[in-house]
Amino acid sequence: MAKQPKTSKSSDAHGFSEAAAQPLAPDASEEGRWVLYIAPNGRVLIPAAARAAMQLGELGKVTAVLENGELRLISPLVAVGRAQALIRKLDKGTGSAVDELIAERRAWALKE
């Protein structure tokens, strides 16, 4: 009987391993893209490089959004970073955002 090759630590009972998640193409235009395989039970292994870029912690918790047949995954840290970047972009730099909101609400209340 032939010996089975040892699998990596990241393989699961269904034979998925990070070695199975191959880069889609070697050129730079396809960087960050992988061909992933979906197990019959729906499990997908996300390569270590992708998990690192997503800033996933040990829990590996993500938010999934299905839009036009495309599944997008975002980690909490990346989501917070995007929100912070948006706030920095929209910040007028005129002071406290809380004070500005209160002033706007008071102005709206006076108009009513």
Side-chain angles (χ1 to χ4, degrees):
M1 186 167 159
K3 282 188 174 181
Q4 293 289 333
K6 288 188 178 182
T7 56
S8 68
K9 289 182 188 177
S10 62
S11 66
D12 66 16
H14 300 288
F16 277 61
S17 70
E18 294 205 15
Q22 297 297 318
L24 188 59
D27 65 357
S29 65
E30 297 294 337
E31 187 175 317
R33 293 179 184 260
W34 296 268
V35 174
L36 304 178
Y37 299 95
I38 302 172
N41 65 2
R43 290 184 182 197
V44 176
L45 181 98
I46 300 172
R51 293 191 312 269
M54 294 173 72
Q55 301 175 15
L56 288 176
E58 286 187 20
L59 293 178
K61 185 176 182 178
V62 297
T63 298
V65 178
L66 182 62
E67 186 176 302
N68 298 322
E70 181 179 273
L71 182 64
R72 295 180 182 200
L73 304 176
I74 187 167
S75 69
L77 283 176
V78 172
V80 167
R82 282 188 185 176
Q84 290 172 336
L86 179 61
I87 290 168
R88 280 192 297 273
K89 180 179 176 183
L90 298 174
D91 183 18
K92 298 171 188 165
T94 58
S96 166
V98 173
D99 292 340
E100 289 176 25
L101 177 63
I102 292 170
E104 286 177 8
R105 295 289 168 95
R106 286 182 178 154
W108 290 341
L110 290 175
K111 290 180 183 178
E112 294 179 351

